[in-house]
Amino acid sequence: MKWVVLQVFCALFSGIMEALAIPNKFLPLGEPLFALFALSPLYIALFRAKTYKESFFIMTLQPLVVHLLSSFWLANFRDFAIFTLGASAIGTAAEGGIIGIIFHALPSTATSEETNKERAGCKPFAPFTRVIWFAACWVTWEWFKSTGFLAYPWGTLPLAAYRWRILAQTASLTGVWGVTFLYSLANALLGEGILQLSSIKCSPYTRNTATDYRQLSFFVAGIFAASFLYGLYEYWIPRKQTKTVNIVAVQQNQDPWDGGEKKSLELSMRLTEKGVQNMRSNGIEPDIVLWSEGILSHSFPNSRFYYSQRPEQEPLSAFIRRMDVPFLIGGQTVVNMEAEHYSNSAIFYDRRGQYAGFYSKIHLVPFAEDIPFDETPLMKLFMEKAVGFTSGWTPGSQLTAFRIPVRGSKFFSAPLENGLARQAIIPLDVAGVSNPDNTLPYTENLDENPSNYLTFAVPICFEDAFPDVCTPLYNLGTEIFMNITNDSWSKTESAEYQHFAIASYLAIEYRIPLVRCTNSGYTVVLDPAGRITDSLPLFTENVMCSSIPVYERKPTVFSRFGDWLPYTIFVYMFITVLHQIAKISKLRHIKKFTIQISFKD
């Protein structure tokens, strides 16, 4: 009974400390120091667990506590609390329990004989194995909960690292999984130290134990030192600027569910005019105006005619034409009128107020935007009774980037260096005369100068947390991410900051700037090192006017190879589990043989 109480205490304490480490009500940007030891009690409990059932219980309880304490605001998602908080909590706990079962594969074969050998110094790598196994399992856990249809990367360790920007720089190599690995290593080292101290009194081999732990500490310290040096380099390295884009980002602080489209449009237009006039009064010509997710409620493409007449005071298309700037606005598109399929989209207008196209959100929020089997009568009936409507959004099917001219550019013709082949022969004919076709590349480059244009992509809302969407968008030639988001429904600052903390890795992973335009926050600009260069206060009606440096585009290790770290860990875990299965079979065989000998005697 005492051990059960201790297990519960370790899981609860670990969950509370992890929830405090990530952005929360009391610490808006979290406390990264807490994340260094939040999992240590969990480490102790898991390695002291005697059965798979105990390990499952511990890893069900701890993630559940983190989820409920950090993502309680999910209950504010309209009438979807039964799904957004209830179902997500159950799903998170179940996923954690599965990892708990996998975790116990290593400690399940520990014997008293092996423990004695370890204390005698005959198994110096045993602490190392435990620490690496814990870190591998934790990376697997966070990858598991952050990938696929049910993906929810909130409540994870990388959220705690925002204030430690140097540590976060490893994301350009490993994605956020490198940050998870570093944090879980530190926690495992501390947990292992506590385990060693608890057993040192009854061991005559204190010196061997201390030596093994010291070597383990040097190993972990070496990994942190290498990460720190890399982080310093990436944080301070000068980057080559190629152009500047001037943006006007509107934060109207209106929840479309509450105020309706009319009020959101009026506020957005007023704030936009203020921002555009402010830039022009300073001699700066805006290149793009951003409005957040979900502003327009009438579906495109047909609604381009509606917005040529509404709002009545000044129609939207006429307003855009008067501003003389391209607009990107959160709205919706009808992609199949007969089947009533609608998509959550970013609507693109040119500077003349003409509708130019759209990008539709590909990764939808499960059970809120994307409802499984929503076309079946049973699900329709359930949705009607539970939340009052019967269908969700249709996921987008096309990767889309947008390109705009950069007005601050002098619009020079393309430099000759852009069009020169790697190898060439420049011939003259028998009369010593050149061929104009051969000399043309050395006199004039007829291609477009890339410095005159900007290519950008628009991940919508929580798509900014998913590399499976952002990497293909980046590969379209994206030079800057411009995210549009509506988190106003959350009503809490912690929700806004948590989303921002997750999104901030987008700039680091791909080493390009990130602009977030939100309904109520956090509207912000980040440079390729994840530094804030401009921002607006949360839950205010305001406009952000920013001139954003755009840098030479250089693909990162992560943009090329994606989730190589978790995949490498999966291979290690698979081999380890196979080894443990073989070990269990061997132990059973020895036990059976011993029993047979005893029976014969």
Side-chain angles (χ1 to χ4, degrees), residues 153-218:
W154 276 245
T156 53
L157 289 177
L159 273 75
Y162 175 76
R163 289 174 53 205
W164 285 0
R165 291 286 83 189
I166 302 301
L167 183 69
Q169 300 303 310
T170 56
S172 63
L173 297 175
T174 63
V176 297
W177 319 119
V179 179
T180 296
F181 186 74
L182 287 170
Y183 265 132
S184 53
L185 267 185
N187 278 275
L189 179 65
L190 178 58
E192 181 64 25
I194 296 172
L195 281 178
Q196 298 287 7
L197 283 174
S198 66
S199 62
I200 207 168
K201 293 179 181 179
C202 59
S203 172
Y205 306 104
T206 302
R207 182 173 297 179
N208 293 331
T209 301
T211 299
D212 294 346
Y213 187 73
R214 184 166 58 250
Q215 292 174 346
L216 176 62
S217 300
F218 287 153

Side-chain angles (χ1 to χ4, degrees), residues 432-449:
V433 178
S434 65
N435 184 328
D437 292 337
N438 292 330
T439 60
L440 185 61
Y442 303 93
T443 58
E444 183 178 3
N445 186 348
L446 299 180
D447 293 333
E448 291 180 340
N449 186 350

Side-chain angles (χ1 to χ4, degrees), residues 135-455:
C137 286
W138 200 261
V139 171
T140 300
W141 151 241
E142 294 203 343
W143 181 91
F144 192 38
K145 80 185 294 286
S146 304
T147 308
F149 171 71
L150 295 176
Y152 185 69
W154 276 245
T156 53
L157 289 177
L159 273 75
Y162 175 76
R163 289 174 53 205
W164 285 0
R165 291 286 83 189
I166 302 301
L167 183 69
Q169 300 303 310
T170 56
S172 63
L173 297 175
T174 63
V176 297
W177 319 119
V179 179
T180 296
F181 186 74
L182 287 170
Y183 265 132
S184 53
L185 267 185
N187 278 275
L189 179 65
L190 178 58
E192 181 64 25
I194 296 172
L195 281 178
Q196 298 287 7
L197 283 174
S198 66
S199 62
I200 207 168
K201 293 179 181 179
C202 59
S203 172
Y205 306 104
T206 302
R207 182 173 297 179
N208 293 331
T209 301
T211 299
D212 294 346
Y213 187 73
R214 184 166 58 250
Q215 292 174 346
L216 176 62
S217 300
F218 287 153
F219 168 75
V220 174
I223 292 179
F224 267 84
S227 300
F228 181 75
L229 291 174
Y230 175 77
L232 281 177
Y233 171 79
E234 287 289 356
Y235 196 74
W236 295 112
I237 184 176
R239 304 183 191 277
K240 182 181 177 182
Q241 183 178 343
T242 58
K243 66 195 81 170
T244 300
V245 60
N246 303 315
I247 65 106
V248 174
V250 173
Q251 178 179 288
Q252 84 282 15
N253 194 32
Q254 289 293 312
D255 186 346
W257 291 343
D258 296 336
E261 182 189 69
K262 186 175 185 295
K263 188 173 182 180
S264 293
L265 273 176
E266 291 174 350
L267 276 170
S268 298
M269 293 166 73
R270 176 169 57 83
L271 291 168
T272 298
E273 186 157 13
K274 175 185 174 183
V276 169
Q277 289 178 353
N278 180 55
M279 293 195 89
R280 286 174 174 161
S281 65
N282 290 301
I284 302 172
E285 194 61 36
D287 296 307
I288 185 79
V289 172
L290 300 176
W291 287 3
S292 55
E293 179 189 20
I295 299 295
L296 304 180
S297 61
H298 291 75
S299 300
F300 284 78
N302 292 340
S303 287
R304 65 187 186 276
F305 303 114
Y306 174 87
Y307 290 109
S308 66
Q309 303 175 35
R310 297 287 188 279
E312 293 180 357
Q313 186 174 355
E314 183 177 18
L316 177 61
S317 56
F319 173 76
I320 294 173
R321 185 164 57 250
R322 183 164 64 85
M323 292 297 100
D324 194 29
V325 186
F327 273 56
L328 196 83
I329 308 172
Q332 58 181 303
T333 53
V334 54
V335 292
N336 188 329
M337 180 65 76
E338 182 180 0
E340 297 183 348
H341 288 172
Y342 298 85
S343 291
N344 184 355
S345 303
I347 307 299
F348 195 40
Y349 269 93
D350 69 14
R351 57 191 288 262
R352 294 181 177 178
Q354 296 176 338
Y355 165 69
F358 66 90
Y359 162 72
S360 290
K361 188 176 182 180
I362 295 172
H363 195 128
L364 301 176
V365 180
F367 296 105
E369 293 180 320
D370 190 358
I371 301 168
F373 312 110
D374 63 345
E375 295 184 357
T376 63
L378 185 61
M379 179 58 79
K380 283 181 179 291
L381 178 63
F382 175 75
M383 291 296 297
E384 180 67 33
K385 297 294 183 182
V387 294
F389 57 90
T390 59
S391 63
W393 295 110
T394 297
S397 58
Q398 183 181 58
L399 294 165
T400 305
F402 302 94
R403 193 173 73 150
I404 56 173
V406 179
R407 295 191 181 186
S409 170
K410 298 184 183 298
F411 283 88
F412 290 122
S413 58
L416 292 180
E417 64 182 3
N418 282 26
L420 294 178
R422 181 65 176 170
Q423 297 177 336
I425 295 176
I426 306 175
L428 301 181
D429 62 16
V430 293
V433 178
S434 65
N435 184 328
D437 292 337
N438 292 330
T439 60
L440 185 61
Y442 303 93
T443 58
E444 183 178 3
N445 186 348
L446 299 180
D447 293 333
E448 291 180 340
N449 186 350
S451 296
N452 296 334
Y453 298 90
L454 175 79
T455 301

